Structure formats: structure tokens, C-alpha cells
Amino acid sequence: MPASRAREDKRLLRLLPVERWPTEDEARRSRWLSPVRIGPIEAHERTWIPAMVPWRATDDGFVTENVIGWYRRFAESAPGVIVVEATGIRDVPSGPLLRIGHDRFVPGLRRLTEAVRDASRGRTRLFLQIIDFLAIKRRPPREKFLERFLVIDDALRARLPGASDPEIRAFLLAQDDDALRAYLSPRDHESLTMGHRERVTDTHLPHIRDLPRAIPPLFADAARRAREAGFDGVELHYAHAYTMSSFLSRLNDRADGYGGPREHRVRLPLETYRAVRDAVGPDYVVGARFLGDDVVEGGSRIDDATYFALEFARAGMDFLSISKGGRFEDAKQPKVGDAAYPYTGPSGHECMPTVHIAPPGPFGRNVPLAATIRRALQHHDLTTPIVTAGGIATFDQAESILARGDADIVAMARQALADPDFFEKLRRGRGDEIRRCLFTNYCEALDQSHKEVTCQRWDRESLDDTIPRSHDGKRRLLAPPWSY
């Protein structure tokens, strides 16, 4: 074993030791590798790979061969469920992110579902995560913002009486950053220092005010296309920094019946679910991923999430996948020319915890949220499956979660990325051959810069094979193969 890999393995042993991996027989009889009912279908295992955005689509949102290769590689290990990356429901430019806002995207997505079925020998269920997001702009240069983007309104004129608009701009340009904070409104100062970001509470903007009318049919049309493309179901993206999560958040104070009290904040997510259900029918899986805790100041907490889960389950959702944090409100200030990234602040660190996070560490850190929600559902005789994720790295972890009744399904993202053969190695009793994730978020840093996501563990051996490379030629786009 190379010295570098030995050091990495030694570090992992300190962080999350594995005394022994299961034998083939123990794995076969385990809870994690047992079937589970998800609405109208059955998954052959409770193993689940949640959505990860690999940035391999075209700039127009179409499926590429590299997208297919990414999902085929995961499917070779035949997990119970793979959730395909967040896929935009609007027919608008969104960079190399998959889209489903028009029928022209269906043929490529159908090729993707066929590839997964072929690679998994028909065993893996495939869901598509569908998402809506509002506009976010890059942080502008100071001069450009003050000279061109800043709207000089009556409130700003009142703070600088007697000055013409050109004089106001000249005056502001001469101020230091502390002085600017005193003159600019909080939103204008945020646009200067973070980049402009739309909120669901910006109801003075017609397209934001009309979201409750526009959103349900967009999600419904996307779900209909997903069914046409051959997906087994859809996961409604109600989590993190995006539109639907923002409606659910306590920070949503809209006064039109879609904000404020919980029963108003859950209204649009429920209306959207019902529109989707009407579009795809009762024999198609529809679930949601949402937050057990916003983490940010003033945001929703587990009591809100429990209420939402009860409402979603009673409405008929087929599964509920619980996440945490990942909000814009506490994101780190981006560099000029970059956009804010919602996984850089404390809420983002809770969403994807690394080995550097405070005690109790990253492993299973978010499981208690799922456990609280599942027990609340059981108390009300609701059996909707609960999916948990976040720092899941070993068989014993997953098996313990299921044994305690903390969740019905255990999802694994970064560890599955480090070794897409993880589940097949478990089934064969060869866990000691698993390439373990270091939980340093090398992959997440690539995602932040919209580069093709890979794993640092893939390139520990020489790049002398035929696996496709990243644009710079320095990284494998797929994990090296495992010789059975």
C-alpha cells in the first residue's frame, strides 16, 4: 500500500474505526440490504444515493455522455435507489445543470434511465430531483455597482438631501466601506458585498408575487416529463437555499397567505405536490427532500420540520428525505466576480459536515432530525418512509440507524462517490477493499466553483488508463474500476 494511502487510512481509523466489515452472509441478512416499500414500488434495498450535482451537462442543460457515465458507474453497484441531481424545471439558462423545462430534454434523460437500468441489471430504482431557484448575481466590482447597478431611490435621496443623482454616485464612490453601510439600505449593501439575490419575500416584483400561481404547473410538467423519460419517481427539492425551502422557512413573512404562520408557509409546497400528483397519477413515486433545521438565525427548526412532515405524509407523499442547513443567509462573502455559495457558512457546514467540524463530528450528525420526524409520524400512525443522510460512511453506522428506528432508509453520498462499488463490495463480504471517503469535502470545493465533481481518492494511482479526464486533464471523471 502506498505511504500516502496508509496515512489516510490511519486517519480514518482514528475518526471512524471499523473493527470488521460484514461477511457475505451477514450482509445478505442485514436491514440495510433488505427491501423497502416506497409508495407504489419496492426498492430491493434500503441503500440510497442522494442527489449530487456533478456539473457534466451541456451549458444548455442536456444530458451528455459524461452524465450517463457518472450515473452508470454508481448503478454498477446496484443500490436500492439513485436520485439524479437537481434538475431545473424552468426553460431558462442555468449553466451545466440538467434541465427538464421542455420536452426537448426528454430523449436525453430517457437515455440516462436506460443506462442505469442496464448497468444495475434492472435492480436500481431511479428518481429525478426537480428544483426551482430564484436569480442570484455575482458579486460586482465596487465601482460598477455604485455607478451602474445601484438604484437611487427616494430613501437614498433623503439621506443625501440636495444632491443630484450623479452627485450622489460620486459621493458614494468617495466613501470607505464603513461609511457606505450607513448610506445604503441593507439590501443594497448586501448586493454590493455579496451579489444581488432574489427572495420569495420580494413581492414588489411581479414574478415573485406570482410564484404561487407559476410554481405548481412548472413542477407538474417536469414530473410528467420525468415519467415519460422512464424515471421511477421524482423527488421535489424543498431543501436548502432554493425557492420551495424559502417558502417553508420561518424567514418567509409574505402577507398573501403563503408566508408567516406554518400553515401558510406549507401551503405552496402542498399545492405543488397536489399538482404533481394530478399530473403523474397515484401509481408513480412522488417524495420530497426538505430541511429538518434551517440552522440560520430566524430560520425554521425541528418543530417546524415535524409539522411539515406530518402535512406531507397526510397529503400522500411516498417518502420524505431529511437534510439540514445549506442556506444563503450565512454564506461566506464571495470574491468579486463570484456568486455566493450556500454551503460555505455554518449552515452549509452542517449540511455537509467535514472531519474538521466540532464534536460530535461529521458522522451521522444529522440523523437525530430524521429520528425525531420519524417518531412523530409513527405517533400519528403514518408509515411514510424517512430517508436520512449526512456523514454516513460504514455498514455499522447504517445498520445501527435502522436498528434504532431512526430512519427507514439510509443514504450515502460522499462515501459512495469515493467508492461507487461500495454496495457490491458489502454484498460480497469484501468490505476491507472499500476505498473510504476522507470527508475533507474536496468534491464540494469543485462543486462550489462549478467544476466537474470528482474525488481525490480516484487519482491516487497514475492516470494511465482510458477513463475520461476533466477539462484540465488532471483528474479522472470516473472512479477506477474494481476487479471482482
Side-chain angles (χ1 to χ4, degrees):
M1 177 185 296
S4 61
R5 181 167 179 182
R7 286 195 298 272
E8 291 161 354
D9 289 350
K10 185 176 180 181
R11 186 166 99 184
L12 278 168
L13 287 174
R14 292 199 308 271
L15 294 169
L16 188 65
V18 176
E19 293 185 9
R20 58 181 289 271
W21 291 94
T23 65
E24 183 175 358
D25 183 62
E26 288 169 337
R28 180 178 54 80
R29 293 185 286 106
S30 69
R31 295 175 178 85
W32 200 22
L33 273 60
S34 68
V36 62
R37 193 78 191 169
I38 306 173
I41 69 172
E42 183 177 83
H44 79 102
E45 289 177 356
R46 297 167 191 264
T47 55
W48 180 292
I49 297 180
M52 294 180 276
V53 177
W55 299 109
R56 283 159 168 74
T58 70
D59 286 338
D60 296 324
F62 286 97
V63 171
T64 63
E65 289 305 314
N66 283 336
V67 169
I68 291 175
W70 168 272
Y71 289 105
R72 175 182 284 278
R73 188 68 183 84
F74 287 118
E76 288 170 355
S77 193
V81 171
I82 295 175
V83 183
V84 168
E85 65 203 76
T87 300
I89 62 173
R90 296 178 186 263
D91 193 14
V92 296
S94 51
L97 186 76
L98 286 180
R99 285 157 52 188
I100 195 169
H102 189 276
D103 289 349
R104 68 180 181 277
F105 297 108
V106 171
L109 291 167
R110 186 180 295 116
R111 288 197 300 120
L112 172 57
T113 61
E114 290 169 352
V116 167
R117 290 213 167 76
D118 176 68
S120 70
R121 303 167 299 283
R123 299 171 69 198
T124 293
R125 297 295 192 170
L126 193 65
F127 301 155
L128 183 69
Q129 187 183 74
I130 50 179
I131 187 174
D132 183 66
F133 42 84
L134 301 181
I136 180 168
K137 305 296 184 182
R138 300 175 186 274
R139 180 186 170 193
R142 187 178 191 273
E143 293 75 15
K144 181 180 286 189
F145 176 80
L146 294 174
E147 290 175 349
R148 293 176 50 191
F149 298 152
L150 175 66
V151 175
I152 299 179
D153 56 15
D154 290 341
L156 182 54
R157 293 187 187 98
R159 289 193 286 275
L160 295 166
S164 66
D165 286 2
E167 290 172 332
I168 288 174
R169 293 190 190 279
F171 174 81
L172 294 174
L173 280 165
Q175 305 307 302
D176 62 26
D177 290 344
D178 288 339
L180 276 178
R181 185 184 293 273
Y183 289 110
L184 298 178
S185 70
R187 283 294 294 275
D188 283 337
H189 190 267
E190 179 191 279
S191 295
L192 167 64
T193 58
M194 298 290 292
H196 176 70
R197 176 172 62 86
E198 290 182 342
R199 291 165 165 79
V200 300
T201 51
D202 291 338
T203 52
H204 61 286
L205 301 174
H207 69 282
I208 300 294
R209 185 176 61 246
D210 292 344
L211 283 172
R213 176 186 58 79
I215 286 288
L218 286 171
F219 270 93
D221 286 345
R224 174 186 56 78
R225 294 185 186 105
R227 179 160 194 165
E228 183 181 345
F231 288 91
D232 295 294
V234 291
E235 179 177 88
L236 308 178
H237 197 327
Y238 288 0
H240 307 314
Y242 311 110
T243 306
M244 299 303 283
S245 179
S246 297
F247 270 93
L248 288 170
S249 177
R250 285 187 196 175
L251 296 171
N252 171 18
D253 61 358
R254 289 176 67 121
D256 60 353
Y258 288 93
R262 288 175 186 165
E263 59 269 24
H264 292 179
R265 301 190 331 254
V266 78
R267 182 178 168 191
L268 181 58
L270 286 173
E271 289 176 356
T272 298
Y273 163 72
R274 293 182 184 115
V276 168
R277 179 59 75 196
D278 288 345
V280 298
D283 60 340
Y284 192 69
V285 173
V286 181
R289 185 162 175 80
F290 68 104
L291 296 180
D293 188 341
D294 282 6
V295 179
V296 296
E297 183 179 354
S300 295
R301 297 291 181 259
I302 185 60
D303 56 323
D304 299 280
T306 301
Y307 171 81
F308 299 147
L310 290 168
E311 292 297 304
F312 294 157
R314 288 169 178 149
M317 287 193 186
D318 294 313
F319 68 86
L320 300 175
S321 180
I322 313 303
S323 191
K324 184 181 185 182
R327 303 283 302 182
F328 278 122
E329 286 82 4
D330 64 353
K332 180 181 177 182
Q333 184 182 42
K335 296 178 182 178
V336 171
D338 290 346
Y341 181 68
Y343 306 103
T344 50
S347 73
H349 298 155
E350 291 290 341
C351 179
M352 289 185 282
T354 74
V355 291
H356 305 296
I357 202 165
F363 301 110
R365 187 181 184 92
N366 301 334
V367 171
L369 298 172
T372 299
I373 290 170
R374 186 173 186 269
R375 292 187 176 100
L377 264 60
Q378 289 179 318
H379 179 74
H380 289 84
D381 296 323
L382 296 166
T383 59
T384 308
I386 299 297
V387 185
T388 193
I392 307 300
T394 72
F395 171 84
D396 288 341
Q397 254 189 305
E399 199 68 1
S400 296
I401 289 167
L402 296 171
R404 292 193 305 267
D406 290 347
D408 300 281
I409 298 165
V410 178
M412 173 182 283
R414 287 170 289 175
Q415 175 55 64
L417 176 65
D419 192 344
D421 301 306
F422 183 97
F423 303 111
E424 187 62 18
K425 288 175 179 177
L426 276 186
R427 293 186 202 104
R428 292 172 178 256
R430 293 168 67 176
D432 57 349
E433 298 180 37
I434 286 171
R435 182 190 301 113
R436 295 187 64 187
C437 174
L438 301 178
F439 287 90
T440 62
N441 280 9
Y442 171 95
C443 50
E444 184 262 347
L446 292 168
D447 175 57
Q448 180 177 347
S449 53
H450 291 188
K451 293 181 179 178
E452 299 149 307
V453 172
T454 66
C455 176
Q456 61 185 316
R457 302 302 304 266
W458 297 354
D459 299 327
R460 285 295 185 261
E461 299 151 17
S462 62
L463 299 175
D464 58 358
D465 50 42
T466 59
I467 294 174
R469 302 283 188 272
S470 57
H471 290 310
D472 59 13
K474 297 178 179 179
R475 295 176 289 119
R476 288 183 172 98
L477 291 182
L478 297 173
W482 174 49
S483 299
Y484 290 3

